[in-house]
Amino acid sequence: MTRTPLMAGNWKMNLDHLEANHLVQGLAMELKDHNHDYSKCEVLVIPPFTDIRTVQTIVDADELGIKYGAQDVSIHDNGAYTGEISTAMLDKLGCTYVVMGHSERREYHNESDELVGAKARKTLDAGMTPILCCGEALEIRKAGTHVEFVLGQIRAALAGWSAEDVAKIVIAYEPIWAIGTGETATSEDAQEVCGAIRAALAEDFGADTAEATRVLYGGSAKPGNIKELMAQPDIDGALIGGASLKADSFAEMARFYA
Ligand SMILES: O=C[C@H](O)COP(=O)(O)O
């Protein structure tokens, strides 16, 4: 496989900057102690905005292989947008990834597919990698229309994109019913949708783009199920919430290949 696996820890609204310092130092130590090979799995932390400067300082000072990014971004460059953060601000802090369209933002902030697509565009234009989230609620899963629903979210967000640009993004499939519930989708469930995403990318943007685009799974991923998830042909990594808040469990997941 030519796609480099990615373990991305989405801290959500957890940990202040002091706790962030502690976690990143602990994570770096765990990975070093176990001779983690970053070429076999990229390790990414996605802290709250207020922690990013602290994470940058540790990563730069200790020349860590850990990457960091942001949980959201504005579609505006600057101006009267109280509370928003621009791509330029994130780029200046050394962020390399930005998440958009997480189900929690879609639900609590009414984010549409079009807005999510615009955030991904803005992120890519600023030289960072978008992590575009998608995923269905339990009712949709029960109705059996989850594949159609998820492909609809992605196609709406990426409408008009070039194949070259799509190949640079990361897509994260997160069934909402599996987020923070302890109820992981089975690896077959996860593969079904991740495989369908790749097939849709091939149909819309060509086989080379589909081969290059990384697709992550998210939703109660943990040390106990990561190997099985990563053994699936179309799962290239995980977007991890709860289990990324502890250095040992997150490091163990990053070392799924060992
Ligand atoms: O962004 C991460 C996901 O929402 C998964 O969260 P979780 O691992 O706590 O279920």
Side-chain angles (χ1 to χ4, degrees):
M1 185 171 90
T2 53
R3 299 181 296 271
T4 306
L6 172 64
M7 288 297 151
N10 176 12
W11 297 359
K12 307 193 178 184
M13 198 174 71
N14 292 295
L15 310 183
D16 61 30
H17 71 287
L18 299 174
E19 294 164 325
N21 188 343
H22 186 71
L23 178 54
V24 173
Q25 305 252 28
L27 179 61
M29 196 131 18
E30 285 280 339
L31 292 167
K32 187 162 181 251
D33 285 352
H34 291 92
N35 295 316
H36 174 65
D37 182 346
Y38 288 90
S39 72
K40 291 196 173 143
C41 182
E42 266 185 72
V43 181
L44 170 68
V45 294
I46 310 170
F49 289 130
T50 51
D51 296 358
I52 294 176
R53 177 69 172 149
T54 299
V55 172
Q56 178 192 33
T57 303
I58 306 162
V59 167
D60 285 356
D62 296 346
E63 295 180 0
L64 302 179
I66 296 169
K67 295 181 178 167
Y68 54 93
Q71 298 175 15
D72 187 36
V73 74
S74 176
I75 56 166
H76 304 290
D77 288 332
N78 51 53
Y81 301 102
T82 302
E84 297 210 28
I85 302 290
S86 72
T87 49
M89 293 168 178
L90 297 177
D91 182 44
K92 194 86 176 167
L93 286 171
C95 289
T96 47
Y97 287 85
V98 180
V99 171
M100 66 277 313
H102 192 283
S103 59
E104 288 147 17
R105 292 212 57 91
R106 290 177 187 262
E107 183 179 352
Y108 307 134
H109 300 273
N110 294 317
E111 295 200 355
S112 66
D113 291 326
E114 290 66 30
L115 178 67
V116 171
K119 288 183 175 186
R121 176 82 264 157
K122 202 84 194 155
T123 297
L124 197 64
D125 288 348
M128 297 177 285
T129 303
I131 300 181
L132 173 62
C133 300
C134 55
E136 83 285 357
L138 187 58
E139 313 81 70
I140 295 172
R141 164 69 55 165
K142 281 185 176 157
T145 53
H146 48 286
V147 170
E148 184 187 329
F149 178 84
V150 167
L151 298 187
Q153 285 183 316
I154 296 170
R155 284 183 160 134
L158 299 181
W161 281 51
S162 69
E164 195 191 351
D165 283 349
V166 172
K168 294 178 191 155
I169 75 167
V170 174
I171 294 177
Y173 166 60
E174 300 203 306
I176 297 170
W177 46 273
I179 296 176
T181 58
E183 186 171 345
T184 326
T186 63
S187 47
E188 290 78 20
D189 287 339
Q191 166 58 28
E192 180 201 20
V193 181
C194 293
I197 291 171
R198 200 174 308 285
L201 293 177
E203 200 177 303
D204 297 354
F205 301 101
D208 289 352
T209 297
E211 265 309 296
T213 308
R214 287 182 292 178
V215 181
L216 312 183
Y217 166 77
S220 298
K222 44 187 178 276
N225 58 25
I226 196 67
K227 277 185 195 283
E228 201 186 328
L229 287 164
M230 292 304 290
Q232 303 302 314
D234 291 303
I235 299 180
D236 305 317
L239 184 56
I240 305 157
S244 74
L245 297 173
K246 291 262 161 27
D248 53 355
S249 61
F250 190 44
E252 191 179 339
M253 294 174 83
R255 297 184 62 263
F256 74 93
Y257 58 85

